[in-house]
Amino acid sequence: MTDSMATIARAQAAYVRAIDSDDLEAWPDFFTDPCFYQITTADNYRRGLPAGLIWADSRGMLKDRVSALREANIYERHSYRHLLGQPAVLAEETESGVRAADSETPFCVLRITGDGPTDVFASGVYVDRYLIGARGALLRRRVVVCDSSRIDTLLALPL
Amino acid sequence: MSVRTKTAGKTWPRSLTQVPYWAYQDEHVYRAEQEKLFHGPFWSYLCLEAELAEPGDFCATFIGEQPVLVTRDTDGQVYAFENRCAHRGALIAMADHGHARDFTCVYHAWTYNLQGDLTAVAFADGVGGKGGMPPDFCMGRHGPRKLRLAIVHGLVFGTLNNDLPDIEEYLGEEILDRIGRVLAGRQPVILGRFTQMLPNNWKLYVENVKDSYHASILHLFFTTFGINRLSQRGAIIVSPGGGHHVSYSAIDPSTAGGDEYSKQSIRSDGEYRLTDPSMLNGFSEVGDDITLQILTVFPGFVLQQIQNSVAVRQILPVGVGQTKLNWTYLGFASDTEEQRLVRLKQANLVGPAGYVSMEDGVIGGFVQRGIAGASGESATVQMGGDGYSSSESRVTEASVRGFWQVYRAAMGFEIAGKDEDAVA
């Protein structure tokens, strides 16, 4: 059995590479279906408030988010650079015969809008549940908890 | 006073169809707004009563730049006062929200009760008979300024000015009714709070909310996914004075079968389709056929119902070219589990990442950048004429003109004469 931490780190490296290199279409494939994905803030998370900036409970909703960004929404061209810390594996168990691992990974996301400067856009922690199988680790659940309550201008690309 | 002399030279165009770009750029205008609007004879939204559920709960908010504390005291009443110690001016409370028996300023431990009265001054009698406050120091004469408050269907409004009518008269019957339509008789539940920092003057966001002309042009989500809103019937209501507005749309009974709301209200049949259209399975929000209602209260409050996404927005200026937009997403205590799920899914439509609102986060910045160097020029808002009356067409900028009507009068700008108007 491979080490969960290494498996998760490998999955996360591919995840941020997809977003940062504008391969958004690959993003939903890092999740199981159904899945849960939410972007929230530390304040909402601490208070148990359920709404998200982005809130999805299926891989289809993640695909729709990508289609909307590509086809419908209007925003200034920008890109991210994700910098992730090491995943802390907090618990491991078997969920319906599949290996499951709960982990937390700190992140920092830099945003470059147009030809503008490199700005710190978000920092926070991914609070995750991974299912680990033959295809590696897939996200059953990812709650993106941003440290700050403030979002600068808009949040278009996923974190 | 400097504020008056610095803005006295400014002349506003006579016609409401022209908005001079300096209004979004001028530091003196910005300073004058703090005095004449946010400290002027207007009601500002502070917070929701639902954020002050228990005695001792408090909420730190703002009127313009002014920090304000709103509390619920043990008598069950809501109070508000400046979040500013009467001693040296430090913040009395630093948390955004919380629970307290009283407030003690960290600087010199001056203590205030939940109504904002000064109750204790550290070392007031000195130490060992030396030092201390003079004997004629009266705590009752020192304290943060208290706000006049009004609660409308759970929305807490406040003002530092006494020269304005009661909130009911201020809002008028039509606006009051439309607030009541969404909030009356229901207990709001806070689902989430998000702050969006906008790179533009606050008035550009106010105008954007009031501008129903841009909605189907800038926001392409519904159109792109062929989400056919059978909600063609609608109107714009502008309050008689011009400052407040409501824009709404409703299912047209001639196109809707009147059976299942969820199937009739919106569906996706465009070139692009939603993979998971469950987000569109809404319900009638309050039992009527209105699917969208955007309401503003002068100067900077928004109540929105977009399908089943209900939220309040507080627009706060933090600089000439920077605005803080506070979103509070709401559900209601009466929601079923299914309805709550719909609200969480439809929250994707709004906010900083909203399918139909993310554009509003950048568009004000595009204007702010676009008008650099053009402070002598003006925007033109002629769609639907030059007045600010209510209209059945939403292809109008009437409510934007209504805002400027109230704004320019409150700011006391000179209005240009007819001759200048003809040239401009």
Side-chain angles (χ1 to χ4, degrees):
Chain A
M1 189 162 104
T2 52
D3 176 47
S4 295
M5 184 173 160
T7 310
I8 289 169
R10 190 175 300 124
Q12 296 190 149
Y15 176 103
V16 301
R17 184 169 182 270
I19 295 172
D20 293 356
S21 62
D22 194 32
D23 186 12
L24 294 181
E25 283 68 17
W27 173 61
D29 296 333
F30 292 96
F31 292 81
T32 62
D33 194 18
C35 59
F36 182 76
Y37 177 80
Q38 181 192 16
I39 300 180
T40 187
T41 67
D43 182 58
N44 284 294
Y45 192 69
R46 201 164 38 235
R47 300 169 78 195
L49 301 180
L53 291 161
I54 295 179
W55 193 104
D57 65 356
S58 72
R59 199 191 272 168
M61 285 185 79
L62 300 180
K63 288 183 176 168
D64 292 337
R65 182 56 72 166
V66 174
S67 310
L69 290 175
R70 295 291 196 219
E71 308 297 339
N73 287 123
I74 294 165
Y75 47 90
E76 200 164 5
R77 178 175 57 85
H78 64 279
S79 62
Y80 288 163
R81 183 66 60 202
H82 281 73
L83 305 172
L84 303 190
Q86 295 294 328
V89 180
L90 305 176
E92 294 186 72
E93 60 177 357
T94 303
E95 180 184 314
S96 328
V98 182
R99 257 175 78 202
D102 293 330
S103 64
E104 290 185 4
T105 306
F107 66 84
C108 177
V109 174
L110 309 173
R111 184 172 68 181
I112 302 89
T113 302
D115 299 320
T118 296
D119 294 318
V120 176
F121 177 59
S123 68
V125 62
Y126 292 139
V127 179
D128 297 331
R129 183 172 186 83
Y130 276 101
L131 297 186
I132 300 172
R135 290 180 54 205
L138 289 179
L139 283 162
R140 174 76 184 78
R141 178 184 178 85
R142 165 158 284 179
V143 179
V144 182
V145 183
C146 297
D147 294 325
S148 171
S149 298
R150 297 179 180 197
I151 296 293
D152 177 64
T153 308
L154 56 69
L155 189 153
L157 306 175
L159 294 172
Chain B
M1 156 153 199
S2 64
V3 165
R4 291 204 178 85
T5 53
K6 291 283 172 45
T7 55
K10 298 285 185 192
T11 304
W12 199 274
R14 183 180 175 84
S15 169
L16 289 171
T17 62
Q18 288 183 296
V19 184
Y21 288 137
W22 51 255
Y24 311 104
Q25 299 170 318
D26 190 301
E27 183 71 38
H28 300 299
V29 169
Y30 179 82
R31 300 267 36 113
E33 287 170 350
Q34 297 300 317
E35 178 200 336
K36 293 174 189 294
L37 299 185
F38 297 103
H39 284 183
F42 301 100
W43 287 101
S44 287
Y45 167 79
L46 297 176
C47 66
L48 290 152
E49 204 181 2
E51 294 175 270
L52 306 162
E54 302 295 327
D57 285 355
F58 71 88
C59 179
T61 181
F62 295 87
I63 288 189
E65 290 183 337
Q66 170 87 57
V68 167
L69 279 177
V70 190
T71 65
R72 189 183 292 278
D73 199 0
T74 47
D75 63 358
Q77 298 300 304
V78 176
Y79 296 87
F81 46 93
E82 289 175 292
N83 188 0
R84 175 181 64 82
C85 181
H87 179 213
R88 299 302 308 270
L91 289 171
I92 295 171
M94 263 160 300
D96 283 346
H97 42 76
H99 188 84
R101 269 189 311 186
D102 50 30
F103 300 100
T104 300
C105 177
V106 294
Y107 200 172
H108 301 88
W110 285 32
T111 300
Y112 301 89
N113 64 21
L114 289 163
Q115 298 187 19
D117 302 316
L118 178 63
T119 57
V121 169
F123 303 123
D125 299 327
V127 176
K130 290 178 182 155
M133 296 300 262
D136 61 347
F137 177 78
C138 172
M139 287 201 293
R141 286 211 291 272
H142 295 265
R145 286 178 289 180
K146 295 184 179 185
L147 277 70
R148 186 175 155 201
L149 286 186
I151 301 180
V152 179
H153 298 304
L155 306 172
V156 182
F157 290 87
T159 179
L160 277 160
N161 191 295
N162 282 319
D163 303 329
L164 79 169
D166 289 345
I167 192 84
E168 288 78 13
E169 191 186 327
Y170 180 80
L171 295 171
E173 198 180 327
E174 285 179 303
I175 302 297
L176 203 53
D177 283 354
R178 291 295 175 148
I179 295 174
R181 182 189 154 265
V182 178
L183 298 176
R186 302 208 284 177
Q187 177 58 46
V189 174
I190 292 156
L191 301 182
R193 299 175 6 145
F194 299 97
T195 296
Q196 188 172 7
M197 300 306 292
L198 303 173
N200 53 264
N201 186 270
W202 67 280
K203 300 187 291 298
L204 286 169
Y205 187 78
V206 173
E207 288 185 286
N208 175 273
V209 177
K210 287 175 175 280
D211 164 15
S212 48
Y213 173 29
H214 83 281
S216 61
I217 301 167
L218 177 65
H219 306 302
L220 297 174
F221 177 77
F222 282 128
T223 326
T224 302
F225 289 96
I227 297 166
N228 180 13
R229 290 174 295 166
L230 301 176
S231 45
Q232 300 306 314
R233 190 170 65 80
I236 284 194
I237 301 166
V238 184
S239 64
H244 325 306
H245 102 294
V246 180
S247 169
Y248 71 91
S249 57
I251 300 167
D252 189 332
S254 64
T255 57
D259 48 352
E260 274 183 79
Y261 177 96
S262 62
K263 292 196 177 116
Q264 293 293 341
S265 60
I266 40 180
R267 61 176 181 242
S268 177
D269 56 4
E271 179 192 351
Y272 298 99
R273 282 166 183 258
L274 291 179
T275 312
D276 181 348
S278 64
M279 185 177 71
L280 307 179
N281 296 333
F283 55 94
S284 172
E285 181 60 46
V286 293
D288 60 15
D289 53 6
I290 293 175
T291 53
L292 178 141
Q293 176 185 299
I294 306 289
L295 180 151
T296 59
V297 174
F298 191 92
F301 171 74
V302 183
L303 169 66
Q304 103 187 18
Q305 174 217 340
I306 298 175
Q307 308 291 334
N308 300 116
S309 169
V310 178
V312 295
R313 309 178 205 162
Q314 181 188 33
I315 302 165
L316 295 173
V318 289
V320 171
Q322 184 78 223
T323 301
K324 191 164 142 188
L325 177 61
N326 288 324
W327 296 80
T328 306
Y329 298 173
L330 300 180
F332 295 92
S334 55
D335 287 347
T336 64
E337 230 173 272
E338 291 77 16
Q339 289 173 330
R340 188 58 59 83
L341 183 64
V342 166
R343 295 196 195 284
L344 295 174
K345 288 192 178 187
Q346 292 193 351
N348 283 293
L349 294 170
V350 301
Y355 285 135
V356 297
S357 71
M358 79 168 72
E359 289 86 5
D360 297 327
V362 291
I363 202 67
F366 291 173
V367 175
Q368 196 80 37
R369 283 148 65 184
I371 64 177
S375 58
E377 303 291 315
S378 296
T380 185
V381 281
Q382 299 185 58
M383 192 59 72
D386 58 6
Y388 52 90
S389 50
S390 300
S391 141
E392 288 198 359
S393 167
R394 278 163 292 163
V395 189
T396 176
E397 292 167 314
S399 57
V400 175
R401 290 187 291 271
F403 172 82
W404 293 114
Q405 167 66 17
V406 176
Y407 176 88
R408 70 180 188 180
M411 292 290 286
F413 294 123
E414 279 177 52
I415 308 297
K418 271 182 182 167
D419 295 346
E420 291 170 58
D421 193 44
V423 173

